[in-house]
Short mmCIF file of all heavy atoms in Angstrom, two decimals:
data_model
loop_
_atom_site.label_atom_id
_atom_site.label_comp_id
_atom_site.label_asym_id
_atom_site.label_seq_id
_atom_site.Cartn_x
_atom_site.Cartn_y
_atom_site.Cartn_z
N ALA A 81 0.84 -1.19 0.00
CA ALA A 81 0.00 0.00 0.00
C ALA A 81 0.88 1.24 0.00
O ALA A 81 1.79 1.36 0.82
CB ALA A 81 -0.91 -0.01 1.22
N ALA A 82 0.57 2.15 -0.91
CA ALA A 82 1.37 3.36 -1.06
C ALA A 82 0.58 4.58 -0.64
O ALA A 82 -0.62 4.68 -0.89
CB ALA A 82 1.83 3.52 -2.50
N SER A 83 1.26 5.52 -0.03
CA SER A 83 0.65 6.80 0.31
C SER A 83 1.65 7.90 -0.02
O SER A 83 2.85 7.65 -0.16
CB SER A 83 0.26 6.86 1.78
OG SER A 83 1.38 6.69 2.61
N GLY A 84 1.16 9.10 -0.12
CA GLY A 84 2.05 10.20 -0.47
C GLY A 84 1.79 10.68 -1.87
O GLY A 84 0.64 10.89 -2.25
N ARG A 85 2.85 10.81 -2.64
CA ARG A 85 2.72 11.33 -4.00
C ARG A 85 1.95 10.34 -4.89
O ARG A 85 1.72 9.22 -4.52
CB ARG A 85 4.10 11.61 -4.56
CG ARG A 85 4.83 12.71 -3.81
CD ARG A 85 5.04 13.89 -4.67
NE ARG A 85 5.73 14.98 -3.98
CZ ARG A 85 6.82 15.53 -4.41
NH1 ARG A 85 7.40 15.08 -5.52
NH2 ARG A 85 7.36 16.53 -3.78
N THR A 86 1.58 10.79 -6.04
CA THR A 86 0.75 10.02 -6.95
C THR A 86 1.37 8.67 -7.27
O THR A 86 2.41 8.59 -7.91
CB THR A 86 0.51 10.81 -8.24
OG1 THR A 86 0.01 12.09 -7.92
CG2 THR A 86 -0.49 10.07 -9.13
N PHE A 87 0.69 7.63 -6.84
CA PHE A 87 1.19 6.26 -6.98
C PHE A 87 1.41 5.90 -8.44
O PHE A 87 2.38 5.23 -8.79
CB PHE A 87 0.18 5.31 -6.33
CG PHE A 87 0.49 3.86 -6.49
CD1 PHE A 87 1.58 3.31 -5.81
CD2 PHE A 87 -0.29 3.04 -7.28
CE1 PHE A 87 1.86 1.97 -5.93
CE2 PHE A 87 0.00 1.70 -7.40
CZ PHE A 87 1.08 1.15 -6.72
N SER A 88 0.53 6.36 -9.32
CA SER A 88 0.59 5.95 -10.71
C SER A 88 1.79 6.54 -11.45
O SER A 88 2.04 6.18 -12.60
CB SER A 88 -0.70 6.33 -11.43
OG SER A 88 -0.89 7.72 -11.39
N ARG A 89 2.54 7.42 -10.82
CA ARG A 89 3.74 7.96 -11.45
C ARG A 89 4.93 7.02 -11.32
O ARG A 89 5.95 7.20 -11.96
CB ARG A 89 4.12 9.28 -10.80
CG ARG A 89 3.15 10.40 -11.03
CD ARG A 89 3.66 11.66 -10.35
NE ARG A 89 5.00 12.01 -10.79
CZ ARG A 89 5.78 12.92 -10.20
NH1 ARG A 89 5.33 13.53 -9.12
NH2 ARG A 89 6.96 13.21 -10.66
N TYR A 90 4.82 6.00 -10.48
CA TYR A 90 5.98 5.20 -10.11
C TYR A 90 5.93 3.79 -10.69
O TYR A 90 4.88 3.15 -10.70
CB TYR A 90 6.07 5.08 -8.60
CG TYR A 90 6.36 6.39 -7.92
CD1 TYR A 90 5.33 7.26 -7.57
CD2 TYR A 90 7.67 6.77 -7.64
CE1 TYR A 90 5.58 8.47 -6.97
CE2 TYR A 90 7.93 7.99 -7.02
CZ TYR A 90 6.88 8.83 -6.69
OH TYR A 90 7.15 10.03 -6.10
N GLY A 91 7.09 3.36 -11.16
CA GLY A 91 7.25 1.94 -11.39
C GLY A 91 7.41 1.25 -10.05
O GLY A 91 7.91 1.84 -9.09
N MET A 92 6.99 0.00 -9.96
CA MET A 92 7.03 -0.73 -8.71
C MET A 92 7.83 -2.01 -8.87
O MET A 92 7.84 -2.63 -9.94
CB MET A 92 5.63 -1.07 -8.22
CG MET A 92 4.74 0.14 -7.93
SD MET A 92 5.39 1.16 -6.60
CE MET A 92 5.28 0.03 -5.22
N GLY A 93 8.47 -2.39 -7.79
CA GLY A 93 9.24 -3.63 -7.81
C GLY A 93 9.10 -4.38 -6.51
O GLY A 93 8.74 -3.81 -5.47
N TRP A 94 9.36 -5.66 -6.57
CA TRP A 94 9.45 -6.52 -5.38
C TRP A 94 10.86 -7.11 -5.34
O TRP A 94 11.37 -7.59 -6.36
CB TRP A 94 8.42 -7.63 -5.42
CG TRP A 94 7.02 -7.19 -5.14
CD1 TRP A 94 6.07 -6.87 -6.07
CD2 TRP A 94 6.41 -7.04 -3.86
NE1 TRP A 94 4.90 -6.51 -5.43
CE2 TRP A 94 5.07 -6.61 -4.08
CE3 TRP A 94 6.84 -7.23 -2.54
CZ2 TRP A 94 4.18 -6.36 -3.04
CZ3 TRP A 94 5.96 -6.98 -1.50
CH2 TRP A 94 4.64 -6.56 -1.75
N PHE A 95 11.44 -7.08 -4.16
CA PHE A 95 12.74 -7.68 -3.91
C PHE A 95 12.61 -8.58 -2.69
O PHE A 95 11.63 -8.51 -1.95
CB PHE A 95 13.78 -6.59 -3.63
CG PHE A 95 14.13 -5.75 -4.83
CD1 PHE A 95 13.26 -4.79 -5.31
CD2 PHE A 95 15.34 -5.93 -5.47
CE1 PHE A 95 13.58 -4.03 -6.42
CE2 PHE A 95 15.68 -5.17 -6.59
CZ PHE A 95 14.79 -4.22 -7.05
N ARG A 96 13.60 -9.42 -2.48
CA ARG A 96 13.60 -10.26 -1.29
C ARG A 96 15.01 -10.45 -0.77
O ARG A 96 15.99 -10.35 -1.52
CB ARG A 96 12.96 -11.62 -1.58
CG ARG A 96 13.72 -12.50 -2.57
CD ARG A 96 12.91 -13.75 -2.88
NE ARG A 96 13.63 -14.65 -3.79
CZ ARG A 96 13.10 -15.74 -4.34
NH1 ARG A 96 11.82 -16.07 -4.07
NH2 ARG A 96 13.81 -16.49 -5.14
N GLN A 97 15.08 -10.74 0.52
CA GLN A 97 16.39 -10.94 1.15
C GLN A 97 16.27 -12.03 2.20
O GLN A 97 15.41 -11.96 3.09
CB GLN A 97 16.87 -9.64 1.78
CG GLN A 97 18.29 -9.71 2.31
CD GLN A 97 18.83 -8.34 2.68
OE1 GLN A 97 18.08 -7.38 2.89
NE2 GLN A 97 20.15 -8.23 2.74
N SER A 98 17.13 -13.02 2.08
CA SER A 98 17.19 -14.09 3.08
C SER A 98 18.49 -13.93 3.86
O SER A 98 19.42 -13.27 3.40
CB SER A 98 17.09 -15.46 2.41
OG SER A 98 17.99 -15.57 1.35
N PRO A 99 18.58 -14.53 5.05
CA PRO A 99 19.75 -14.33 5.92
C PRO A 99 21.05 -14.68 5.22
O PRO A 99 21.17 -15.73 4.58
CB PRO A 99 19.47 -15.27 7.08
CG PRO A 99 18.00 -15.36 7.14
CD PRO A 99 17.54 -15.32 5.72
N GLY A 100 22.02 -13.77 5.32
CA GLY A 100 23.32 -14.01 4.75
C GLY A 100 23.43 -13.75 3.27
O GLY A 100 24.49 -13.95 2.67
N LYS A 101 22.32 -13.30 2.66
CA LYS A 101 22.33 -13.05 1.22
C LYS A 101 22.00 -11.60 0.93
O LYS A 101 21.39 -10.91 1.75
CB LYS A 101 21.34 -13.96 0.52
CG LYS A 101 21.68 -15.44 0.58
CD LYS A 101 20.73 -16.26 -0.27
CE LYS A 101 21.09 -17.72 -0.26
NZ LYS A 101 20.18 -18.53 -1.10
N GLU A 102 22.39 -11.15 -0.25
CA GLU A 102 22.04 -9.80 -0.66
C GLU A 102 20.57 -9.74 -1.08
O GLU A 102 19.98 -10.75 -1.47
CB GLU A 102 22.94 -9.38 -1.82
CG GLU A 102 24.39 -9.17 -1.43
CD GLU A 102 25.17 -8.42 -2.49
OE1 GLU A 102 24.61 -8.14 -3.56
OE2 GLU A 102 26.35 -8.14 -2.24
N ARG A 103 20.05 -8.53 -1.02
CA ARG A 103 18.68 -8.33 -1.48
C ARG A 103 18.64 -8.54 -2.99
O ARG A 103 19.44 -7.97 -3.73
CB ARG A 103 18.20 -6.92 -1.12
CG ARG A 103 16.73 -6.71 -1.27
CD ARG A 103 16.31 -5.37 -0.68
NE ARG A 103 16.59 -5.30 0.75
CZ ARG A 103 16.20 -4.30 1.53
NH1 ARG A 103 15.49 -3.30 1.02
NH2 ARG A 103 16.50 -4.29 2.80
N GLU A 104 17.69 -9.36 -3.42
CA GLU A 104 17.63 -9.70 -4.84
C GLU A 104 16.31 -9.31 -5.47
O GLU A 104 15.26 -9.30 -4.81
CB GLU A 104 17.87 -11.21 -5.05
CG GLU A 104 16.81 -12.11 -4.46
CD GLU A 104 17.02 -13.57 -4.81
OE1 GLU A 104 18.01 -13.90 -5.51
OE2 GLU A 104 16.17 -14.39 -4.39
N PHE A 105 16.37 -9.04 -6.75
CA PHE A 105 15.20 -8.67 -7.53
C PHE A 105 14.27 -9.85 -7.69
O PHE A 105 14.71 -10.99 -7.92
CB PHE A 105 15.65 -8.16 -8.90
CG PHE A 105 14.53 -7.99 -9.87
CD1 PHE A 105 13.70 -6.88 -9.81
CD2 PHE A 105 14.29 -8.95 -10.85
CE1 PHE A 105 12.66 -6.72 -10.71
CE2 PHE A 105 13.25 -8.80 -11.75
CZ PHE A 105 12.43 -7.69 -11.68
N VAL A 106 12.96 -9.57 -7.61
CA VAL A 106 11.95 -10.61 -7.82
C VAL A 106 11.07 -10.29 -9.03
O VAL A 106 10.93 -11.11 -9.93
CB VAL A 106 11.07 -10.78 -6.56
CG1 VAL A 106 9.94 -11.78 -6.83
CG2 VAL A 106 11.90 -11.22 -5.37
N ALA A 107 10.48 -9.10 -9.03
CA ALA A 107 9.56 -8.74 -10.11
C ALA A 107 9.40 -7.23 -10.16
O ALA A 107 9.62 -6.54 -9.16
CB ALA A 107 8.19 -9.39 -9.91
#
């Protein structure tokens, strides 16, 4: 859920991070 400036102006992404690993791109 986004609040603040106009949400539709932004591209969105999902990332994930597991212990001991770098944050990685998902979608």
